[in-house]
Amino acid sequence: MPTRRFDAPGDPALSDLHGDLAERDLQPLWELSGLLTPTPRARAVPYRWRGKELRELGGRAGDLVPVDRGGNRRVLSLSNPELGGGPYASAPLWGALQYLGPREAAPAHRHTPAALRFVLEGEGVWTMVNGDPLRMAAGDLVLTPSWTWHEHHSPGDAPMTWFDALDLPLVEALEAVFFEPGPEPAAQSADPARSASERRFGAGPGLLPGKRPTRPTAHSPLLRHRWADTDRALASQFTVPDAETSATGHAHVRFADPTSGRDVMPTMRCEMHRYMPGHSAPALRCTGSSLTAVFHGAGFVVLDGTRYDIAPGDLIAVPSWTSVTVVAEESLDLFTVSDAPVLEALSLYREEAATDSVEITPAR
Amino acid sequence: MPTRRFDAPGDPALSDLHGDLAERDLQPLWELSGLLTPTPRARAVPYRWRGKELRELGGRAGDLVPVDRGGNRRVLSLSNPELGGGPYASAPLWGALQYLGPREAAPAHRHTPAALRFVLEGEGVWTMVNGDPLRMAAGDLVLTPSWTWHEHHSPGDAPMTWFDALDLPLVEALEAVFFEPGPEPAAQSADPARSASERRFGAGPGLLPGKRPTRPTAHSPLLRHRWADTDRALASQFTVPDAETSATGHAHVRFADPTSGRDVMPTMRCEMHRYMPGHSAPALRCTGSSLTAVFHGAGFVVLDGTRYDIAPGDLIAVPSWTSVTVVAEESLDLFTVSDAPVLEALSLYREEAATDSVEITPAR
Amino acid sequence: MPTRRFDAPGDPALSDLHGDLAERDLQPLWELSGLLTPTPRARAVPYRWRGKELRELGGRAGDLVPVDRGGNRRVLSLSNPELGGGPYASAPLWGALQYLGPREAAPAHRHTPAALRFVLEGEGVWTMVNGDPLRMAAGDLVLTPSWTWHEHHSPGDAPMTWFDALDLPLVEALEAVFFEPGPEPAAQSADPARSASERRFGAGPGLLPGKRPTRPTAHSPLLRHRWADTDRALASQFTVPDAETSATGHAHVRFADPTSGRDVMPTMRCEMHRYMPGHSAPALRCTGSSLTAVFHGAGFVVLDGTRYDIAPGDLIAVPSWTSVTVVAEESLDLFTVSDAPVLEALSLYREEAATDSVEITPAR
Amino acid sequence: MPTRRFDAPGDPALSDLHGDLAERDLQPLWELSGLLTPTPRARAVPYRWRGKELRELGGRAGDLVPVDRGGNRRVLSLSNPELGGGPYASAPLWGALQYLGPREAAPAHRHTPAALRFVLEGEGVWTMVNGDPLRMAAGDLVLTPSWTWHEHHSPGDAPMTWFDALDLPLVEALEAVFFEPGPEPAAQSADPARSASERRFGAGPGLLPGKRPTRPTAHSPLLRHRWADTDRALASQFTVPDAETSATGHAHVRFADPTSGRDVMPTMRCEMHRYMPGHSAPALRCTGSSLTAVFHGAGFVVLDGTRYDIAPGDLIAVPSWTSVTVVAEESLDLFTVSDAPVLEALSLYREEAATDSVEITPAR
């Protein structure tokens, strides 16, 4: 938010006016500065949380904190240091590591902020969305769209962690948060071998149920994307003859609603990127912010000129209009979630090559 | 088209008027009848061509007729007996059996009528669409959309036949047929192991290339649907808990453009139906016509009260507003193509339960 | 429809095959010709009906034929001479002159073919559409969309004629004609001063009822376009600084659904053109056909090289892919209706400059 | 933004964990509260600024402050008392009174936040948008959509004030603000008698230029809505037979893009409401916030149980999920702008009758 310029001159009539305006809850534009900036001003800063530390801290939380404590989820939320101490990873996005111990369950609730889970490692937990159990394993993407009931179950012997992303800060900024706790107790038995969602919409590309729903939902009806499919889609792109993908060393898949081709949820775009070793491309910046979870590989990213080495499990916040370069030292698989659908829907999306000379500072 | 009523009365002034109108290429409405019917009047009749005969006649054509004769395709077109002797299966749709012998090729051309191929048996042929080779095997659906270059190649030792459907009669009725012969000679070598189309759009459900095309096409970019996927999609529907599919014994998949969820081409809807033995449902009728190819199984259909036994390879024409019942004696897999997208786009689609008492006549 | 080539060669096996195919209602592609043409083959021919003759014949019909005779409308339908003697103006479109005498009424009915009325002269009749009375006066466009009840009333002392256009041939070709006669007797009293449709949707540009309908219709809810508005819209285009309109001498308005900007009905595009004297432009051709009603002015059109002089009340049929040039000798106002929305919806619309040298034959 | 619960228990291991988390810019969910609320929590409060005071303060600003001071606009911005002292009327919306003196000009600039002007009284100023001069008079709505150049000119002898609304807080929250100052000096002469925008798109309802733009804009091409049209549209609604409008005493027009029927800009809905004296309706609440400018009439609104008397020129902020009742004592005309299109695009729009018993407190 802009700050007021207190350059009140000596004119007593003007001082009186300023006083009367303040009393009436009005502000003179001529006393304000910084309202309109040449390019976007992001409140958050580029930031990286290390996977190694997240895992270690998640494990300690698993030992010390019962799952049913505040919030009913054992969650470490990313707190961007420039966002005023709040628990938000960037201005529109919440990011977190969630940890579920053996035979634990996180009970049902629903809320208008939409959520997604990208599994960084392990398997065995399943998430129930509106009564449909969805298996979670490394590389899977599981959606819990706005206002769907959801609960997490770990029937096995090993703990499991995953990356959570929500549009909570955005929905809070739009003053549209609704929350409802679920019925107790949650079911601990279900067969997530394949969900109804996947049986209906996940059998293959371009195959939809013949009977169309009377009222389509705002989100994708396919609530789980399996890593095997995503991996194959990325690998396939590199084998298309004469494709740009091969030339650039960058394959790139967008998770889509199979009934519409739109993003899986109206507020968040989910993508998987694969960068071949040696990949290099000009720096880019765009409006909107994103969170990246490093799934496989090693390399570094350069964010507004600062280099960050990355390794599996790292989580990265990229605020709006940050210049981004990705360099793969080993084949890199990166999951990203962004608010791009919001900016596109409102016709506020822009991107450009970051032509300013990028001088990379030493690695952090 | 309506016929004129020649009930000219005795009034000589009226006779004069009628004569003058005819001379001016005008017709008096009061002398016309049959213009507007309470329900649709189809010109074509329900009809079934037997697969056994089609195969036998296709083989004889393969022996006697070179592929490069008139039309550059060895094709037996379905001629609905009530369509005035023309080669059309129904008012809007062309259906045919195409036969390609060992080491033959059908050279490239393109036309605004869209075409599709559903493979009834065999494998080995590949179809090149705009330079992209697409493998054809039993149960596969291959698209050659409007104005795409296409050619067929049989590098192997066995002949192969498939079902062709085109919207040619519709596009002719709309007076929008364009045709262009292709360059000679056509390539005889390509690797259709997996097409660029499938590599980009066929890796899995809900996975799209990250980079969006600058100008989306009017048709699906996924030009081949493999039988393995279709079969799995049908089978999956029967395993969804409490699904209507299980109750009715009818699974039903619509082939869709993965980038939009729309039909694969703007003029033709493609679907695959599986009916469990004992399936029974009330007769239905809808506007628009369809062609059905029997892929697997045995049973019969009842079309406007007449029973037709069906077996693999049979082709069936169902004109607009024909009452249809399907009865499976063995598990039935039926491929259908219809002009439903046209009727929907123009807001002319209607369907209803055929409540009139259906008295089934003896099987033909 | 294509014709068969009867070039049966001497080979008796081939003759046998051809005989067996015919018996099975199959046709060999190699015996067919003319299926696919390089450019569209229109069945109808370019044609002009003279307004002077239409008025004279309409008047005689008014004297001789009661309105409630066959079809319940006193209508002279345009019969394109190459359409096999049927009452259709072009392949997809019905055009006609309708005549209603003083104190006559054409009773209510509805049908899936959509209709529109463009008033060539006079005033005083009103058309009731689904209970809403719509005033008709010279230059007005009144819609009676698919499956809406409609009836015409002439409470005054003067007869009135107007131009009717329907998509009847198209809907018949799609085998989707439904018809229902209305309840008797029709109301003879209503106040068409301004219809509910116009009160809700016609107050001004870009102004919609705040409460949105629960189920939008496939057609425009604004059922009447007044000439005063259309005239002003055309005139305005000529006054835009530096506009192409002024340079070319051609203003051009499309009648649109104010709630969507789409064409007023899914099957027919309605437009009004104004050509300044001396207007000249390169000949154009496009897929799809149109009917033109000359409202004001004088000049000529050149259709596939043949010149037709035009005067108020003339009706002109332009088949698909006909080269069209319009030359205004006096300021020309032309109303046109076409099936362009159909061709666009099905991705079959094409247009091009008719570059072939146009040698204009003497005027007909 | 939520606050942290500092209820650290005595467990030293837990304290250590909390410390380590803070050091790593992570926050434990179990220490946070207030993240998810049962219903939306608005930061702004319902508020009313009095037109009488706005006019008086605007006049004093006109006397004391040159227009080219900070921001190049003489603007008094509404500062909602609960928004932390910033110049925003509600969380997503900026509202302000703008004052332009005789023969003054506010020079050109452009910015991604979209703006609109609703004229409360007077006339004579014109706003140039991308080179097109738009007349401003009482009751007119003038749009300056995202990233369009705009400047204001007052060629006359009287000062003029109007209501400005921008989506600036929203675009700032989305971190998508771009700004560019315009070229100097601005033109002081142009003929806003009727703008090119109005000549092309404003001639009448349902009339669009025949030639469609190659690239449609995200905003309406009709940049000015004249009060005469709006007034007629409201009045017309009351005359529709049997209409709900008459029963409720509430007419309601939405300003729309004539080429699409969508809201005039992707982020702001503009509406005009007319309430007949004695209007009463149940209280409603919805997600999203709005600003209201009182154009004509007298009465009061009840916002979350508090009554505010209203008079011409008053400006009212209604935060998300505030219960709203409007009571007209004289016929009331209210202009409203809201972020409803944003909530709808993101599938976050909800509304409900405010069933809680509303006890109205004494008028403020």
Side-chain angles (χ1 to χ4, degrees):
Chain A
M1 212 172 268
T3 52
R4 292 189 56 173
R5 271 195 272 157
F6 289 105
D7 61 341
D11 180 350
L14 189 59
S15 293
D16 282 359
L17 175 60
H18 289 177
D20 290 351
L21 289 172
E23 202 174 308
R24 301 304 189 211
D25 292 302
L26 295 163
Q27 297 192 12
L29 182 64
W30 57 88
E31 292 289 305
L32 297 165
S33 66
L35 275 172
L36 291 163
T37 50
T39 55
R41 175 180 47 206
R43 284 159 289 157
V45 288
Y47 206 75
R48 175 209 50 205
W49 292 261
R50 291 187 186 278
K52 194 180 153 187
E53 294 171 357
L54 289 164
R55 276 188 296 273
E56 190 265 339
L57 291 162
R60 281 165 63 190
D63 292 341
L64 293 170
V65 183
V67 69
D68 55 0
R69 228 174 126 152
N72 271 327
R73 299 312 194 242
R74 193 186 290 105
V75 158
L76 307 181
S77 82
L78 309 181
S79 173
N80 195 291
E82 294 299 322
L83 280 178
Y88 297 162
S90 73
L93 296 172
W94 163 284
L97 188 82
Q98 185 162 168
Y99 178 102
L100 197 63
R103 281 168 302 281
E104 284 186 337
H109 62 204
R110 63 177 178 173
H111 37 71
T112 48
L116 61 87
R117 329 290 169 182
F118 181 78
V119 183
L120 290 164
E121 45 187 349
E123 63 179 321
V125 168
W126 46 272
T127 286
M128 182 90 95
V129 179
N130 281 347
D132 194 20
L134 303 156
R135 183 188 290 275
M136 297 172 77
D140 288 357
L141 170 64
V142 169
L143 309 178
T144 56
S146 180
W147 209 237
T148 53
W149 293 108
H150 55 281
E151 55 194 88
H152 309 295
H153 292 268
S154 178
D157 293 327
M160 193 172 149
T161 62
W162 60 84
F163 169 57
D164 273 351
L166 286 87
D167 58 8
L168 168 56
L170 173 71
V171 179
E172 192 193 44
L174 294 171
E175 302 181 338
V177 172
F178 291 83
F179 174 82
E180 194 176 350
E184 299 277 356
Q188 265 289 23
S189 74
D191 176 11
R194 264 174 95 223
S195 63
S197 162
E198 290 172 273
R199 289 174 205 220
R200 283 201 183 94
F201 293 94
L207 295 169
L208 296 179
K211 190 163 186 175
R212 277 178 283 184
T214 45
R215 240 186 61 195
T217 51
H219 58 79
S220 175
L222 178 58
L223 297 173
R224 177 183 171 226
H225 292 267
R226 290 175 292 175
W227 172 244
D229 289 339
T230 309
D231 182 40
R232 183 171 55 246
L234 291 167
S236 290
Q237 286 191 7
F238 286 109
T239 66
V240 176
D242 308 320
E244 196 185 322
T245 298
S246 305
T248 61
H250 176 204
H252 175 193
V253 164
R254 183 170 63 91
F255 296 93
D257 181 337
T259 68
S260 69
R262 289 190 305 233
D263 287 296
V264 289
M265 300 189 290
T267 50
M268 292 193 277
R269 174 162 301 159
C270 298
E271 297 172 304
M272 198 83 201
H273 296 259
R274 176 165 295 170
Y275 298 91
M276 284 295 156
H279 165 268
S280 73
L284 286 171
R285 54 166 55 97
C286 66
T287 49
S289 72
S290 63
L291 305 181
T292 292
V294 181
F295 186 46
H296 291 138
F300 58 92
V301 294
V302 184
L303 305 176
D304 273 350
T306 299
R307 168 178 168 157
Y308 299 82
D309 289 326
I310 54 178
D314 285 1
L315 302 177
I316 303 158
V318 180
S320 186
W321 214 239
T322 301
S323 161
V324 179
T325 309
V326 176
V327 179
E329 292 168 338
E330 298 166 18
S331 173
L332 263 181
D333 287 343
L334 305 183
F335 172 80
T336 64
V337 52
S338 76
D339 62 351
V342 177
L343 290 142
E344 288 181 358
L346 306 183
S347 209
L348 291 166
Y349 185 77
R350 280 199 197 189
E351 62 181 12
E352 65 173 35
T355 50
D356 45 34
S357 113
V358 173
E359 191 174 331
I360 300 173
T361 62
R364 289 193 190 177
Chain B
M1 212 172 268
T3 52
R4 293 189 54 174
R5 270 193 274 155
F6 290 104
D7 61 340
D11 180 348
L14 189 60
S15 293
D16 282 358
L17 175 61
H18 288 178
D20 290 350
L21 289 173
E23 202 174 307
R24 303 302 190 212
D25 292 302
L26 295 164
Q27 296 193 12
L29 182 64
W30 56 90
E31 291 289 305
L32 297 165
S33 66
L35 275 172
L36 291 164
T37 51
T39 56
R41 173 179 50 205
R43 284 159 289 156
V45 289
Y47 205 75
R48 175 211 49 205
W49 293 262
R50 290 188 186 278
K52 194 180 153 189
E53 293 170 358
L54 289 165
R55 275 188 297 272
E56 189 266 337
L57 291 163
R60 282 166 62 193
D63 293 341
L64 294 169
V65 183
V67 69
D68 55 0
R69 224 172 128 156
N72 272 328
R73 304 295 196 257
R74 192 186 291 104
V75 158
L76 307 181
S77 83
L78 309 181
S79 173
N80 195 292
E82 294 300 323
L83 279 178
Y88 297 161
S90 74
L93 295 172
W94 163 285
L97 188 82
Q98 184 162 167
Y99 178 101
L100 196 63
R103 280 168 302 281
E104 285 186 337
H109 63 203
R110 62 178 178 175
H111 37 71
T112 48
L116 61 87
R117 330 290 167 179
F118 181 77
V119 183
L120 291 164
E121 46 189 347
E123 65 178 319
V125 168
W126 47 273
T127 287
M128 182 92 94
V129 179
N130 281 347
D132 195 19
L134 302 157
R135 183 187 291 275
M136 297 173 77
D140 287 356
L141 171 63
V142 169
L143 310 178
T144 57
S146 180
W147 208 237
T148 53
W149 293 109
H150 56 281
E151 56 194 87
H152 309 295
H153 292 268
S154 178
D157 294 327
M160 192 171 149
T161 62
W162 60 85
F163 170 56
D164 273 350
L166 285 86
D167 58 7
L168 169 56
L170 173 71
V171 179
E172 193 192 43
L174 294 170
E175 302 182 339
V177 171
F178 291 83
F179 173 82
E180 194 177 349
E184 299 279 354
Q188 264 290 23
S189 74
D191 176 13
R194 264 175 94 222
S195 63
S197 163
E198 290 171 274
R199 287 174 205 223
R200 283 202 183 94
F201 293 95
L207 295 170
L208 296 179
K211 191 163 185 176
R212 277 177 284 183
T214 46
R215 242 186 59 195
T217 52
H219 59 78
S220 175
L222 178 59
L223 297 173
R224 176 181 172 227
H225 292 268
R226 290 175 293 177
W227 171 244
D229 289 338
T230 308
D231 183 40
R232 184 173 53 246
L234 291 167
S236 289
Q237 285 191 8
F238 286 110
T239 66
V240 176
D242 308 322
E244 197 184 322
T245 298
S246 305
T248 61
H250 176 205
H252 175 196
V253 165
R254 183 169 63 91
F255 296 93
D257 181 337
T259 68
S260 67
R262 289 190 306 233
D263 287 296
V264 288
M265 301 189 289
T267 50
M268 292 193 277
R269 175 162 300 160
C270 298
E271 297 172 306
M272 197 84 201
H273 295 260
R274 176 165 293 168
Y275 297 91
M276 283 296 155
H279 164 82
S280 74
L284 286 172
R285 55 165 53 99
C286 65
T287 49
S289 72
S290 63
L291 305 182
T292 291
V294 181
F295 186 47
H296 291 138
F300 59 91
V301 293
V302 184
L303 305 176
D304 273 350
T306 299
R307 168 180 167 154
Y308 299 83
D309 288 326
I310 54 177
D314 286 1
L315 301 178
I316 302 158
V318 180
S320 186
W321 215 240
T322 301
S323 160
V324 179
T325 309
V326 177
V327 179
E329 292 167 339
E330 299 166 18
S331 174
L332 262 182
D333 286 343
L334 304 182
F335 171 80
T336 63
V337 52
S338 75
D339 61 352
V342 177
L343 290 142
E344 289 181 357
L346 306 183
S347 209
L348 291 166
Y349 185 79
R350 280 200 198 187
E351 62 179 13
E352 64 173 37
T355 49
D356 45 33
S357 112
V358 173
E359 191 174 332
I360 300 173
T361 62
R364 289 195 191 173
Chain C
M1 211 173 268
T3 52
R4 292 190 56 173
R5 271 193 273 159
F6 290 104
D7 61 342
D11 180 350
L14 189 58
S15 294
D16 282 359
L17 175 60
H18 289 176
D20 290 350
L21 289 173
E23 201 173 309
R24 302 304 189 212
D25 291 301
L26 295 164
Q27 295 192 12
L29 181 65
W30 56 89
E31 292 290 305
L32 297 166
S33 67
L35 275 172
L36 291 164
T37 50
T39 56
R41 175 179 48 207
R43 283 159 290 156
V45 289
Y47 206 74
R48 175 210 49 205
W49 292 263
R50 290 187 185 277
K52 196 182 151 187
E53 294 171 356
L54 289 165
R55 275 188 296 271
E56 190 265 336
L57 292 162
R60 283 165 63 191
D63 293 340
L64 294 169
V65 183
V67 69
D68 56 358
R69 223 174 130 154
N72 272 327
R73 303 295 195 255
R74 194 186 292 103
V75 158
L76 307 181
S77 82
L78 309 182
S79 172
N80 194 291
E82 295 299 322
L83 278 178
Y88 296 161
S90 74
L93 295 172
W94 163 284
L97 188 83
Q98 186 161 168
Y99 178 100
L100 197 62
R103 283 169 300 282
E104 285 186 336
H109 63 201
R110 63 178 177 173
H111 37 71
T112 49
L116 61 88
R117 329 289 168 182
F118 180 77
V119 183
L120 290 164
E121 44 188 350
E123 62 179 321
V125 168
W126 46 272
T127 287
M128 181 91 94
V129 179
N130 282 346
D132 194 19
L134 303 157
R135 184 188 290 274
M136 296 171 77
D140 287 356
L141 171 64
V142 168
L143 309 178
T144 56
S146 180
W147 210 235
T148 53
W149 293 108
H150 56 281
E151 56 193 86
H152 310 294
H153 292 267
S154 178
D157 294 327
M160 191 172 151
T161 61
W162 60 85
F163 169 56
D164 273 350
L166 285 87
D167 58 7
L168 168 57
L170 173 72
V171 179
E172 192 193 44
L174 294 171
E175 302 182 336
V177 172
F178 291 83
F179 173 83
E180 195 176 349
E184 299 279 358
Q188 263 290 26
S189 74
D191 176 11
R194 263 174 95 221
S195 63
S197 163
E198 289 171 273
R199 289 173 204 222
R200 283 202 183 93
F201 294 95
L207 294 170
L208 296 179
K211 190 163 185 179
R212 277 178 283 185
T214 46
R215 242 186 61 194
T217 52
H219 58 79
S220 175
L222 179 59
L223 297 173
R224 176 182 172 227
H225 292 267
R226 290 174 293 174
W227 172 245
D229 289 338
T230 308
D231 183 40
R232 185 172 53 246
L234 291 167
S236 290
Q237 286 190 8
F238 286 108
T239 66
V240 176
D242 308 320
E244 197 184 322
T245 297
S246 306
T248 61
H250 176 203
H252 175 194
V253 164
R254 183 168 64 89
F255 296 94
D257 180 338
T259 67
S260 69
R262 289 189 306 232
D263 288 296
V264 289
M265 299 189 290
T267 51
M268 291 193 278
R269 174 163 301 161
C270 297
E271 296 171 305
M272 198 82 199
H273 296 259
R274 176 165 294 169
Y275 298 91
M276 284 294 153
H279 164 80
S280 73
L284 285 172
R285 53 166 55 96
C286 66
T287 50
S289 71
S290 63
L291 305 181
T292 291
V294 181
F295 186 47
H296 291 139
F300 58 91
V301 294
V302 184
L303 305 176
D304 273 351
T306 299
R307 168 179 166 154
Y308 299 83
D309 289 326
I310 55 178
D314 285 1
L315 302 178
I316 303 158
V318 179
S320 187
W321 215 238
T322 301
S323 162
V324 179
T325 308
V326 176
V327 178
E329 292 167 338
E330 299 166 18
S331 175
L332 262 182
D333 286 343
L334 305 182
F335 172 79
T336 63
V337 52
S338 75
D339 61 350
V342 177
L343 289 143
E344 289 181 357
L346 307 183
S347 209
L348 291 166
Y349 185 78
R350 279 199 198 188
E351 62 180 12
E352 66 173 36
T355 50
D356 45 35
S357 112
V358 173
E359 192 174 331
I360 299 174
T361 63
R364 290 193 191 177
Chain D
M1 212 172 265
T3 52
R4 292 189 55 175
R5 269 193 273 157
F6 292 103
D7 60 342
D11 182 349
L14 189 58
S15 294
D16 282 358
L17 175 61
H18 289 177
D20 290 350
L21 289 172
E23 201 173 310
R24 302 303 189 212
D25 291 302
L26 296 164
Q27 296 192 12
L29 182 64
W30 57 89
E31 292 290 306
L32 297 166
S33 66
L35 276 172
L36 292 163
T37 50
T39 55
R41 174 179 47 206
R43 284 159 289 156
V45 289
Y47 205 75
R48 176 211 50 205
W49 292 262
R50 291 188 184 277
K52 195 181 152 188
E53 294 171 357
L54 289 164
R55 275 187 297 272
E56 190 264 339
L57 292 163
R60 283 165 63 192
D63 293 339
L64 293 170
V65 182
V67 68
D68 56 358
R69 220 169 134 161
N72 272 327
R73 302 302 196 249
R74 193 185 291 102
V75 158
L76 306 181
S77 82
L78 310 181
S79 173
N80 195 292
E82 294 300 321
L83 279 178
Y88 297 162
S90 73
L93 295 172
W94 164 284
L97 188 82
Q98 186 162 165
Y99 178 101
L100 196 63
R103 282 170 300 282
E104 285 186 336
H109 62 202
R110 63 177 178 175
H111 36 71
T112 48
L116 60 88
R117 329 290 167 182
F118 181 78
V119 182
L120 290 164
E121 45 188 347
E123 63 180 319
V125 168
W126 46 272
T127 287
M128 181 92 94
V129 179
N130 281 346
D132 194 20
L134 303 156
R135 185 189 289 276
M136 297 173 76
D140 288 356
L141 170 64
V142 168
L143 309 178
T144 56
S146 181
W147 209 235
T148 53
W149 294 108
H150 55 281
E151 57 195 85
H152 309 295
H153 292 268
S154 179
D157 293 328
M160 191 172 151
T161 61
W162 60 86
F163 169 56
D164 274 349
L166 286 88
D167 59 7
L168 169 57
L170 174 71
V171 179
E172 192 192 44
L174 294 171
E175 301 182 339
V177 172
F178 291 83
F179 173 82
E180 194 176 351
E184 299 280 353
Q188 264 290 24
S189 73
D191 176 11
R194 263 174 96 223
S195 64
S197 163
E198 289 172 273
R199 288 172 205 223
R200 284 202 183 92
F201 293 96
L207 294 170
L208 296 179
K211 191 162 185 177
R212 276 178 283 184
T214 45
R215 241 185 60 195
T217 52
H219 58 79
S220 176
L222 179 58
L223 298 174
R224 176 180 172 228
H225 292 266
R226 290 175 292 176
W227 171 244
D229 289 339
T230 308
D231 183 40
R232 185 173 52 247
L234 291 167
S236 290
Q237 286 190 8
F238 286 108
T239 66
V240 177
D242 308 322
E244 198 185 321
T245 297
S246 305
T248 61
H250 176 204
H252 175 194
V253 164
R254 183 170 63 91
F255 297 92
D257 181 339
T259 67
S260 68
R262 289 190 306 232
D263 288 296
V264 289
M265 299 189 289
T267 50
M268 291 192 280
R269 174 163 301 159
C270 297
E271 297 171 306
M272 198 83 199
H273 297 259
R274 176 165 293 169
Y275 298 91
M276 285 294 155
H279 164 81
S280 74
L284 285 172
R285 54 167 54 98
C286 66
T287 49
S289 71
S290 63
L291 305 182
T292 291
V294 180
F295 186 46
H296 291 139
F300 58 91
V301 294
V302 185
L303 305 176
D304 274 350
T306 298
R307 169 180 167 154
Y308 298 82
D309 289 325
I310 55 179
D314 285 1
L315 302 176
I316 303 158
V318 179
S320 186
W321 215 239
T322 300
S323 162
V324 179
T325 307
V326 176
V327 178
E329 291 167 340
E330 300 166 17
S331 176
L332 261 182
D333 287 343
L334 305 182
F335 172 79
T336 63
V337 51
S338 75
D339 61 350
V342 177
L343 290 142
E344 289 180 358
L346 306 183
S347 210
L348 291 165
Y349 185 77
R350 281 199 197 188
E351 62 179 14
E352 66 173 36
T355 49
D356 46 33
S357 115
V358 174
E359 191 174 329
I360 299 174
T361 62
R364 288 193 191 180

